[in-house]
Amino acid sequence: MPINTGVWSPSEKERLCALYAYHILDTPVEKSFDNLAKLATQIFNIPIALISLLDKERQWVKSSVGVVLKEFPRKQSFCEYTIQGNTVFEICDTLKDSRFTDYPVVVSEPYIRYYAGAPLIDDHGFVLGTLCVFDLVPRQFTDSQKEILKGIAQEVVVHLILKKKDEQIRSSITRCQELLDITGVSPEIHCILDYRGKVLFVNEAVTRLLGYTVPEAMELGLLDVCYPEDIPRVMKSIADGLGNNYKELHIDFRVVGRDHIIRWISWSLVSKNRRWYTYGRDITDNKKVESDLMKLSFVASKVNNAVVINDADNHVTWVNAAFEKITGFSLEDVKGKRLGDLIIGPNTDLELIDEVRRLTKQRQSFTIDMLAYRKDKKEIWLSVYNTVVLDDRGNVEIEVEIIIDITDKKRAEEELQVLSMVASKTNTGVNIQDNEGITTWVNQSLEKLTGYKKEELYGHHLGNILSPNFYDQELIATSRDKSKNNQSYTIEVLAEKKNGSTVWLSVSNTPIINSKGKVERQIDLISDITQRKQIEKEMIEAKEQALKLSEAKEMFLSVMSHEIRTPLNAVIGMTHLLLDNDPKISQIDDLNILKFSGENLLHIINDILDFTKMETGKMELEVFPFNLKTLANDIINSLQVNVRKKGNQLNLVFDPSIPSLISGDKNRLYQILMNFLGNAIKFTENGQVQLILTLAGQNEKESVIRFEITDNGIGIPKDKQSYIFETFTQAKTDISRKYGGTGLGLAITKKLLQMFNSDIIVDSTEGEGTTFSFEIAFSKTAEISASPGNSTEMSVFIGKRILVVDDNEINILIAKRILSKWGLEIEAAVNGYEAIEKIMTESFDLIFMDIKMPGIDGFETTGIIRDISGAYYKQVPIIALTASTLKNDHYKFNECGMNGHVLKPFNPEEIKKLLFGFLSREKE
């Protein structure tokens, strides 16, 4: 089998290329090759000889002797093996060589038994084919016979090479003749010069361009026709070319013709074998155009508009500096490219681009406005003026485009268009005036708004027509002055429609300033605000009504506080007196019940009043330093009686890391803890209640304290845990009946905690107990040294004179009973006039002043006392006795000169501490 597998190696590809270069395949029979084949049969006395060439898929026979063959497949070829080497390949007996026993020429006609082949190797070492001989009987060549066969094969290669060169010579002659023919009709000068510039050959174009005949031109040198001024430059260019061994030169210079006409010729010179092969092209017209273009370029480079020059194919050849400034593209960016392909973008009208290119092909100039894109992809509007320049034949030679940036103009047009559309369609009235405020245009909305037609408004001041009968003329005149001074303004005026009905108008005026800074026109935007004005009026009336209602509520609160607390003061005060006057044992329980009922009623009243104050926003937290541990211990101790009655245990768990002093509203915190602990004790029997205080966090300014109130009492159902904080509600309907209470305690407590910016967390299981927890941030405060005089020694009170001013005789009686027990001397006055008279005639160490009294009240009485000249009247302590808890009353205490206040019904211990504080100072 042949060794060829159908996959050609690189060397096989090169061999085939070499074979194809001889152009021998599929050529007719040639006698010279036939003679060599016959010579081989005669020398070796052998019947068959072939000269064959191996193509890619076949063995093609150039000459054959003894057999008629033109070609056959390479895979059935003996020569396939021959071309693999460079010597003779011999098969002595084909039937004894397994590679060939099944070849068709072996097993059938002509029954080949012997083969010998010599490769045809050319000068470059490529094997083109074989010279091979065949015999019908087995045999074997001697070495000399093989050398002879190789010699004949070399002769075949010589014939192939000679045939190839002969073809090349004929082809060169043909090309030379064609070149001569071309030069004969060429409009360009073609000539051959020796190295000295002597003309050796020139075509007839020299006659057409310069007027010289060919023989005359043959007698001339290159410099004989060169324009004198150009000779130095030409000589230098040729000398540089020779000195640098340039093979090619390009020179443009002027040539003087026989008729003395000067023409510009562009010369191209190629050096070869000490000769110059030259051709020259007339560029006189181009030079003129260049000169014109140079002048145009100078002018174009100085203008602000972009100038673009395109060739006949619409490719950019030149742009000026203004083009780069407008578009951002430099000449290097656009040269050789279509400008339209570079400046288009997503919103460019591509149909417009196609249309202008169609016009250019039809040799038509055009003018367009187009949306284009700068190099940085920003949108830009361009106005393009295109002029097509035609050559002598009417074909497009160049295009000149003048490009103007009209972006600002387009935007102004778009804004004007939008403004016009908006002004026509908007519900807002639009009034355009001249610089004097005279109406020149109004929209339909203003006509509809005022009832006047535009013809009735044109030529007038709008304010003179719409507001002639109202008091806004001064406002209108002031506004007009603002507009003349380039100032915008917005005013609201009451106007009158054409039908006589009134309307409130909001007028927003904007002056339009020209390039000189003067007002060119004014634009008014006018809206109907009648409904808004009506709403504002109603809101003002509602606000006034709400204020009156708030004042009435506040007055009711003050009256209720005074009227309820005054009798309570008598009840609770008398109870204290009775309990302190050694009552009978049988009376103690009754008096305690009376005291409990009075205090319980006071607690209910305090809840209602506190809740009302919080609802009306009258309550504010006070911030004073206090000791949290002391407060907690006082609360725990004060509740022990109630705790023992229920068989409970009440414990305090206090975190020692909590600062000893913090700042906050001690009284409201006391109220919160008392409410929670009171509830826990009330709803727990024979159980345990705990108050747990821990430090949850702190920084330089604040300490966050966590409060937990836990009990193991009746608990709260899950579905009622949010319900319990509502007003006048309790977890179950029988709670109030069984345990008592108003249902306000937790509601008030929640609101108080909200004032502390805190919230309550409830964790409760019915029948197991409840935990209320919350966190409050208190300000840190420095330690305060204990002030002297904290003891309650009664010696401070001995001989001190106190004046009690109150219109209620019971209150005076109670005060005298309580205060006189401490060694104080008591005087009384039933109104402000009597109090002033007593103060001016007698000396007192302290005055208790009731607030609500007939005639002049406590505030006025205190103010009169403070206005009396003398240090005594300025300095004597005056303490308010009040049943009111209103915040405004607290301000009045300070304003009129009072030194403090005691809330009715007062607690004897609180009165004692207060008196000690003031009277001990006098002692010092």
Side-chain angles (χ1 to χ4, degrees):
M1 293 296 289
I3 62 174
N4 177 32
T5 62
V7 179
W8 302 103
S9 64
S11 59
E12 173 63 11
K13 292 179 182 179
E14 293 174 357
R15 186 192 72 79
L16 290 172
C17 289
L19 172 63
Y20 298 151
Y22 284 88
H23 303 288
I24 190 68
L25 295 174
D26 299 312
T27 58
V29 174
E30 296 182 45
K31 190 173 182 180
S32 59
F33 290 100
D34 288 345
N35 290 338
L36 290 173
K38 288 179 182 179
L39 178 62
T41 59
Q42 292 171 357
I43 291 176
F44 300 115
N45 190 24
I46 200 163
I48 301 172
L50 301 178
I51 297 175
S52 60
L53 303 165
L54 271 72
D55 199 357
K56 183 177 181 180
E57 300 290 343
R58 60 175 179 160
Q59 181 173 339
W60 181 79
V61 180
K62 175 63 178 174
S63 180
S64 63
V65 176
V67 67
V68 179
L69 283 174
K70 291 307 295 179
E71 62 180 52
F72 51 90
R74 274 183 66 172
K75 62 182 180 179
Q76 299 176 1
S77 168
F78 298 105
C79 295
E80 175 70 23
Y81 292 89
T82 304
I83 66 171
Q84 305 301 322
N86 57 7
T87 186
V88 173
F89 179 72
E90 183 181 32
I91 306 171
C92 296
D93 190 346
T94 58
L95 294 179
K96 293 183 179 179
D97 193 324
S98 61
R99 293 175 294 176
F100 310 108
T101 53
D102 59 350
Y103 272 25
V105 294
V106 175
V107 299
S108 60
E109 289 288 342
Y111 298 105
I112 299 298
R113 295 291 298 278
Y114 176 79
Y115 168 86
L120 302 177
I121 303 174
D122 69 1
D123 294 344
H124 300 288
F126 291 109
V127 181
L128 308 178
T130 63
L131 167 65
C132 55
V133 293
F134 299 88
D135 204 343
L136 305 181
V137 295
R139 62 185 298 176
Q140 186 174 5
F141 276 0
T142 62
D143 290 340
S144 60
Q145 288 176 315
K146 291 180 180 179
E147 289 299 322
I148 292 171
L149 186 62
K150 287 175 62 177
I152 299 172
Q154 291 174 358
E155 190 65 24
V156 172
V157 172
V158 171
H159 277 64
L160 287 172
I161 293 172
L162 290 175
K163 178 178 174 63
K164 179 180 179 182
K165 289 182 177 180
D166 185 53
E167 289 293 334
Q168 290 174 343
I169 292 171
R170 282 199 297 272
S171 177
S172 296
I173 292 172
T174 300
R175 287 197 299 273
C176 288
Q177 186 59 47
E178 290 174 348
L179 287 173
L180 288 173
D181 294 341
I182 290 172
T183 59
V185 297
S186 173
E188 299 173 345
I189 298 175
H190 295 267
C191 60
I192 301 174
L193 310 174
D194 64 14
Y195 68 97
R196 293 173 298 178
K198 176 71 175 176
V199 178
L200 303 178
F201 167 82
V202 67
N203 66 341
E204 294 180 356
V206 71
T207 303
R208 292 192 297 273
L209 292 178
L210 302 180
Y212 294 105
T213 64
V214 172
E216 288 174 334
M218 294 285 288
E219 298 299 325
L220 299 172
L222 184 63
L223 299 181
D224 294 333
V225 295
C226 183
Y227 187 71
E229 292 183 5
D230 292 346
I231 289 176
R233 178 169 58 85
V234 173
M235 293 296 295
K236 184 176 185 307
S237 297
I238 293 175
D240 290 343
L242 292 173
N244 294 306
N245 294 319
Y246 292 157
K247 297 298 182 182
E248 186 174 355
L249 289 175
H250 297 279
I251 311 173
D252 294 348
F253 60 88
R254 288 167 287 184
V255 174
V256 182
R258 188 173 184 181
D259 53 4
H260 301 292
I261 295 176
I262 299 173
R263 293 181 179 276
W264 274 96
I265 305 294
S266 178
W267 298 95
S268 294
L269 298 87
V270 178
S271 175
K272 189 173 182 180
N273 299 326
R274 295 177 59 81
R275 291 188 178 186
W276 293 101
Y277 295 87
T278 309
Y279 70 90
R281 180 165 55 90
D282 186 0
I283 59 170
T284 304
D285 293 340
N286 289 352
K287 281 293 183 180
K288 183 181 179 184
V289 171
E290 283 182 12
S291 177
D292 293 341
L293 285 177
M294 187 176 297
K295 296 175 183 177
L296 176 63
S297 172
F298 177 77
V299 174
S301 64
K302 301 300 181 182
V303 299
N304 293 326
N305 297 328
V307 179
V308 180
I309 299 177
N310 302 319
D311 61 18
D313 294 324
N314 196 229
H315 294 152
V316 176
T317 60
W318 183 86
V319 297
N320 67 343
F323 175 83
E324 182 172 0
K325 184 177 180 181
I326 291 173
T327 68
F329 290 101
S330 65
L331 178 59
E332 290 74 18
D333 295 329
V334 299
K335 192 171 185 178
K337 302 173 184 176
R338 287 188 173 189
L339 181 60
D341 294 338
L342 297 175
I343 62 175
I344 62 174
N347 298 322
T348 302
D349 187 348
L350 299 181
E351 293 183 359
L352 180 62
I353 300 294
D354 294 338
E355 175 64 17
V356 299
R357 287 177 177 172
R358 185 185 64 79
L359 291 173
T360 302
K361 288 181 181 179
Q362 295 177 356
R363 310 185 187 106
Q364 297 182 37
S365 300
F366 58 84
T367 300
I368 61 165
D369 291 347
M370 64 173 291
L371 177 64
Y373 288 80
R374 287 173 43 87
K375 185 178 180 179
D376 56 12
K377 303 304 179 184
K378 291 182 179 178
E379 290 186 350
I380 184 173
W381 273 96
L382 301 177
S383 184
V384 182
Y385 298 84
N386 178 281
T387 301
V388 177
V389 180
L390 305 179
D391 60 16
D392 295 338
R393 299 177 182 178
N395 296 322
V396 176
E397 185 171 349
I398 61 171
E399 296 175 62
V400 179
E401 294 178 334
I402 308 298
I403 301 176
I404 303 173
D405 182 358
I406 59 169
T407 305
D408 292 339
K409 176 186 172 185
K410 274 290 183 181
R411 286 176 180 166
E413 288 177 357
E414 291 173 356
E415 290 174 0
L416 184 61
Q417 184 177 0
V418 171
L419 177 61
S420 176
M421 182 183 69
V422 170
S424 299
K425 303 298 182 182
T426 183
N427 292 328
T428 302
V430 178
N431 173 39
I432 299 179
Q433 314 159 52
D434 62 16
N435 59 342
E436 295 296 329
I438 302 299
T439 297
T440 59
W441 183 87
V442 298
N443 66 347
Q444 293 179 357
S445 295
L446 188 61
E447 291 180 302
K448 184 177 179 181
L449 179 60
T450 64
Y452 288 96
K453 295 294 183 182
K454 56 185 178 182
E455 293 78 12
E456 298 175 283
L457 299 175
Y458 288 175
H460 299 280
H461 284 285
L462 188 63
N464 294 346
I465 295 177
L466 299 181
S467 297
N469 303 318
F470 298 103
Y471 298 103
D472 296 328
Q473 291 302 311
E474 185 177 349
L475 174 63
I476 293 172
T478 303
S479 301
R480 287 174 181 168
D481 291 338
K482 284 185 178 180
S483 182
K484 289 179 180 179
N485 292 324
N486 303 352
Q487 298 178 5
S488 301
Y489 65 82
T490 298
I491 60 173
E492 295 178 356
V493 294
L494 185 62
E496 186 175 285
K497 295 184 178 182
K498 186 177 180 180
N499 62 11
S501 61
T502 58
V503 60
W504 274 97
L505 300 177
S506 173
V507 182
S508 295
N509 175 281
T510 302
I512 306 301
I513 312 302
N514 61 21
S515 58
K516 297 180 181 179
K518 301 295 184 180
V519 176
E520 188 173 275
R521 63 175 64 88
Q522 304 172 44
I523 299 177
D524 287 338
L525 300 180
I526 304 173
S527 303
D528 182 355
I529 59 170
T530 306
Q531 186 176 5
R532 195 196 83 195
K533 281 289 186 179
Q534 181 62 32
I535 293 173
E536 288 178 356
K537 180 181 177 182
E538 293 173 357
M539 288 179 65
I540 291 172
E541 292 175 353
K543 183 178 180 181
E544 290 176 352
Q545 187 175 358
L547 287 173
K548 291 178 181 178
L549 181 61
S550 177
E551 290 173 359
K553 186 185 292 186
E554 186 174 345
M555 181 59 69
F556 172 78
L557 190 64
S558 177
V559 171
M560 286 297 295
S561 175
H562 182 270
E563 295 300 327
I564 295 174
R565 287 176 183 270
T566 297
L568 271 179
N569 184 49
V571 172
I572 295 174
M574 291 303 294
T575 303
H576 279 290
L577 289 174
L578 291 172
L579 286 171
D580 288 343
N581 286 338
D582 296 325
K584 296 179 181 179
I585 295 175
S586 60
Q587 294 175 331
I588 291 176
D589 289 340
D590 295 338
L591 290 174
N592 281 327
I593 292 172
L594 180 61
K595 179 175 176 291
F596 175 79
S597 298
E599 291 176 347
N600 190 44
L601 179 59
L602 178 62
H603 179 71
I604 294 171
I605 292 169
N606 284 338
D607 281 352
I608 294 172
L609 294 177
D610 283 348
F611 185 77
T612 305
K613 283 192 288 183
M614 285 186 283
E615 286 291 309
T616 57
K618 298 297 182 180
M619 180 179 286
E620 289 185 0
L621 296 179
E622 297 178 346
V623 179
F624 292 103
F626 69 94
N627 187 300
L628 181 59
K629 187 172 184 180
T630 300
L631 175 66
N633 281 321
D634 288 346
I635 292 171
I636 295 297
N637 293 333
S638 67
L639 292 172
Q640 289 298 335
V641 174
N642 290 338
V643 170
R644 287 193 291 271
K645 288 180 181 179
K646 302 283 285 186
N648 295 320
Q649 289 184 354
L650 175 60
N651 299 320
L652 171 64
V653 179
F654 192 86
D655 186 349
S657 61
I658 295 175
S660 59
L661 277 180
I662 55 177
S663 290
D665 195 322
K666 170 184 175 182
N667 294 329
R668 298 305 172 191
L669 180 60
Y670 173 86
Q671 188 174 353
I672 291 168
L673 295 176
M674 287 296 288
N675 274 337
F676 278 128
L677 289 169
N679 271 354
I681 295 167
K682 185 193 320 185
F683 298 117
T684 304
E685 291 186 10
N686 301 316
Q688 186 175 24
V689 178
Q690 281 190 323
L691 172 60
I692 304 171
L693 280 70
T694 55
L695 182 63
Q698 64 179 340
N699 54 35
E700 294 180 357
K701 296 182 179 180
E702 292 183 335
S703 296
V704 180
I705 312 299
R706 178 177 177 81
F707 298 83
E708 290 186 21
I709 297 89
T710 65
D711 66 68
N712 54 3
I714 64 173
I716 306 169
K718 294 292 183 183
D719 59 340
K720 302 295 184 181
Q721 290 180 8
S722 61
Y723 182 66
I724 60 175
F725 295 103
E726 296 182 13
T727 57
F728 302 108
T729 59
Q730 295 188 343
K732 293 183 179 180
T733 56
D734 61 344
I735 292 293
S736 179
R737 182 177 66 254
K738 185 174 180 180
Y739 295 97
T742 63
L744 278 176
L746 288 179
I748 292 172
T749 302
K750 182 175 182 180
K751 289 186 177 292
L752 286 173
L753 280 172
Q754 289 173 349
M755 295 177 68
F756 279 102
N757 296 318
S758 182
D759 201 3
I760 305 170
I761 299 173
V762 183
D763 183 11
S764 180
T765 302
E766 189 173 7
E768 296 183 8
T770 303
T771 297
F772 290 97
S773 61
F774 55 90
E775 293 182 355
I776 299 178
F778 294 99
S779 299
K780 289 185 176 181
T781 186
E783 296 290 338
I784 301 175
S785 58
S787 59
N790 285 335
S791 66
T792 56
E793 297 178 2
M794 306 306 291
S795 60
V796 177
F797 299 157
I798 303 299
K800 300 294 183 182
R801 302 189 74 246
I802 306 296
L803 174 64
V804 178
V805 184
D806 199 314
D807 63 330
N808 190 302
E809 294 181 2
I810 298 176
N811 289 342
I812 293 176
L813 175 62
I814 293 172
K816 284 184 176 181
R817 291 276 187 90
I818 293 175
L819 299 178
S820 60
K821 289 173 60 178
W822 301 336
L824 295 166
E825 297 179 10
I826 309 300
E827 289 289 331
V830 295
N831 55 53
Y833 300 111
E834 186 178 345
I836 294 171
E837 184 178 349
K838 282 183 176 291
I839 291 170
M840 295 184 69
T841 58
E842 300 180 47
S843 177
F844 297 97
D845 296 291
L846 186 140
I847 302 168
F848 282 113
M849 181 72 68
D850 188 23
I851 298 301
K852 302 290 184 181
M853 293 185 298
I856 56 174
D857 63 16
F859 296 125
E860 294 174 295
T861 303
T862 302
I864 293 171
I865 294 171
R866 294 306 187 197
D867 289 338
I868 300 173
S869 59
Y872 164 70
Y873 302 104
K874 307 290 186 185
Q875 297 174 1
V876 60
I878 302 176
I879 307 301
L881 288 173
T882 179
S884 173
T885 60
L886 296 182
K887 178 181 176 182
N888 289 344
D889 287 350
H890 295 178
Y891 291 145
K892 291 179 182 179
F893 297 150
N894 295 326
E895 289 175 359
C896 69
M898 291 184 175
N899 301 95
H901 70 277
V902 175
L903 192 64
K904 297 178 185 179
F906 47 76
N907 186 305
E909 291 301 319
E910 291 181 1
I911 293 290
K912 184 186 292 185
K913 289 181 181 179
L914 184 143
L915 287 171
F916 184 84
F918 282 101
L919 299 180
S920 61
R921 295 177 198 167
E922 294 180 6
K923 187 176 181 180
E924 294 171 3

